[in-house]
Amino acid sequence: MKDIKIKVNDLSLYYGDKKALNEITMDIPANKVTALIGPSGCGKSTFLRCINRMNDLIPSVSITGKMLVEGVDIYDKNVDVVNIRKKIGMVFQKSNPFPKSIYENIAYGPRINGMKDKTELDEIVETSLRQAAIWDELKDRLDDSALGLSGGQQQRLCIARTLAVSPDIILMDEPASALDPISTSKIEELVHQLKEQYTIIIVTHNMQQAARTSDHTAFFYMGNLIEMGKTNSIFTKPVQKQTEDYITGRFG
Amino acid sequence: MNSESPIKKTFTQESLKKQFRLSEFLAEKFISMIAFLSIAIIFLIFIFVFKESLPLFSFGSDAKAKTEAQATSANKPESYGTEPEGDLKPESYGTENAEDLKPESYGTETTKDLKPETYGSEPADDLKPEVYGDAPKEDLSVPAEDESVGAVSENQEGSDKTWNTFFTSEWVPVSENPRFGLLGLLIGTLKVTIIAMLIAGPLAVLAALFTSCFASKRVKEIIKPIIEMLAAFPSVVIGFFALMVLASFFQDVFGYDSRLNAFVGGVAMALAAIPIIYTISEDALAAVPKTYTEASLALGASKWQTAFFVVLPAATPGIFAALLLGVGRVFGETMIALMATGNAALVSANPFESVRTFAATIGAEMSETVFGDTHYSVLFFIGSLLFIFSFALNAVAEFYVKGKLLKKFQGK
Ligand SMILES: Nc1ncnc2c1ncn2[C@@H]1O[C@H](COP(=O)(O)OP(=O)(O)O)[C@@H](O)[C@H]1O
Ligand SMILES: [Mg+2]
């Protein structure tokens, strides 16, 4: 792995006294899709939210260890969390478009970054929606409320919204878990296309999805990182017994 | 069906038979009855209030009769302004009923010997107009026996004349020539309402935004109950505070002439409206899904941007409703208006001049007016106006919130 985007070093996270992540150390490659798998409650979401510091919102959380993005420790005192999140976008498990029009949903990010020019905004809205492969479906109804879209459309809109602020890294927390098979495959396809430009980290507990979409896979269990490697080798010849058990469906 | 092997059946007519659940039935009926009752009560209140102002609406033939009555009794209006009728009436009721004198008292003066006793030392000549003046009141309170008399002199003024004075600016209800100019009252009410809302609206909404978006849990637990406690302040206490403290303070600051004025009243009413607006806005803001906040923060928005551009807009319907309730509170607030606004019905745009509000007018004058008289009707008419206004306010809120905003936010 030559291009390391994120280096995690001995990262532990506590919810109050409860340890949810236990000394995680791993390297996440640039411009690849990394899948995080593991049974429910093993800490996948918690780990993902460490990467863009969303856990800051929970008062009881304390974190030790280092999270280096391109060599910079994002938990350093002098780092502004807002600037981190601009570069590290996030797509949530449950689609959460704003109660605004489709256009306003996409334009929100650029607007808060100070973009006012209407033509520039129009352009960003279009390219973002195109990137998210939803432009053709929505181009005639940009002024409609985003809440009137189907679940799959909403989720792709949320991806487009994330792309509109041109991040480097995109975090996805089970982005297709609430969607039908067709929408799911559209999202997977999208992930595949986006990895050329972005580093993508995707949480899933759908094994096939991990196998289909990712280049690397990390297996979490009870707050520990059990094993990480090329998706191929994890799914065909896992090193750890627990990984094998999980993949073959013997637990979880 | 074959009969020899009895199969145990789960689904028989018997087991699926419709059941009558008496207690549920009764509970349901009881709840719906209460609901209708409460609606009915609200409308009955309105009907009662409006009924009392009905004499104002008898134009045309009635009006003619009244103007005739007016013409035949040249000096009558005087009796309203100057006579201490309250003292006299009970006596006259008592004696008249007891001695069966009523028919005579309206006709020619056959009872000259009796009257001077009843009315004390007043000259007999001055008496007649007063007897006429009192007649309609008796007519309304006591079951009517002399309908002709009642109909003729129901209103001292014709309805037309009263209505004409409505659109003037003078509120002089008690005089030889009473004028019921609602314009001054309307402007006063609007002025106080606007001032109060300009102060209370932003303060309460921003305070709500602060508690729901910025404050830590502990700060929130302190601030919220404190502001809500303001709602429990009796308005007479707020009015007293405004009268004694605010009025002098603002006079020192701004240096205006009339110590009690629209501004002082507005500030005091803002104190009364803030807790209402705050509480409801806070609920609306707290009800905005956390997922919106997370989405915004994940896009690199600051807390401030998230609060103003995501949370606040998402809570607009609730905040709008809160503001309307605040307007309703201020509009109908009586005690603070009575105590802090100066109660002078002036037509002026200056916020530092005394004003008189609708509600304060009713509060101040209802106990001094004469039952059944035009002034009395006008006060009830104002009451109806207040009722209609707050009804319209709520209707607008309902339609605006339900229709326009929800459509906007939840797709077509
Ligand atoms: N806000 C929180 N406060 C306390 N504990 C939490 C919180 N969020 C998650 N946890 C706990 O942390 C563990 C990991 O949760 P999570 O990261 O959501 O798991 P996953 O996404 O893999 O299903 C779970 O045991 C969960 O109960
Ligand atoms: Mg999760």
Side-chain angles (χ1 to χ4, degrees), chain A residues 16 21-22 66 107 144 158 184:
Chain A
L21 292 176
N22 185 23
K66 278 196 160 55
D144 289 6
C158 290
T184 303

Side-chain angles (χ1 to χ4, degrees), chain B residues 99-280:
Chain B
E99 304 183 9
D100 259 333
L101 287 172
K102 234 194 239 160
E104 287 141 7
S105 66
Y106 293 114
T108 48
E109 300 150 58
T110 51
T111 52
K112 265 178 190 159
D113 49 333
L114 190 70
K115 272 205 193 124
E117 292 169 25
T118 320
Y119 290 94
S121 59
E122 283 173 66
D125 296 20
D126 289 341
L127 273 174
K128 238 196 289 172
E130 287 160 22
V131 177
Y132 279 110
D134 286 343
K137 289 150 230 153
E138 285 172 21
D139 225 42
L140 286 173
S141 55
V142 180
E145 285 166 48
D146 307 280
E147 277 177 33
S148 55
V149 178
V152 170
S153 54
E154 195 162 30
N155 271 313
Q156 297 295 312
E157 310 290 321
S159 290
D160 299 322
K161 197 178 169 202
T162 311
W163 274 85
N164 284 338
T165 65
F166 277 179
F167 304 102
T168 63
S169 57
E170 284 180 311
W171 178 259
V172 192
V174 182
S175 93
E176 282 184 27
N177 177 22
R179 278 144 292 162
F180 303 100
L182 298 185
L183 218 56
L185 303 185
L186 180 70
I187 286 174
T189 309
L190 288 182
K191 242 158 76 173
V192 172
T193 307
I194 289 170
I195 291 169
M197 288 310 291
L198 282 181
I199 296 167
L203 275 182
V205 172
L206 287 180
L209 195 65
F210 170 75
T211 28
S212 71
C213 292
F214 296 100
S216 70
K217 215 170 146 215
R218 254 194 66 230
V219 173
K220 185 174 168 173
E221 276 164 9
I222 298 169
I223 290 186
K224 214 175 165 220
I226 287 182
I227 298 188
E228 285 171 355
M229 223 161 59
L230 256 181
F233 259 64
S235 48
V236 70
V237 175
I238 298 179
F240 186 69
F241 173 70
L243 181 73
M244 304 306 291
V245 183
L246 286 183
S248 309
F249 174 73
F250 286 128
Q251 195 168 30
D252 290 345
V253 174
F254 295 106
Y256 44 69
D257 293 332
S258 35
R259 189 168 167 277
L260 298 177
N261 55 44
F263 182 74
V264 174
V267 172
M269 287 200 200
L271 291 180
I274 281 173
I276 294 179
I277 303 175
Y278 170 85
T279 310
I280 297 172

Side-chain angles (χ1 to χ4, degrees), chain B residues 340-359:
Chain B
T341 58
N343 290 316
L346 305 174
V347 177
S348 111
N350 184 352
F352 297 120
E353 271 184 45
S354 294
V355 293
R356 189 182 187 88
T357 70
F358 282 140

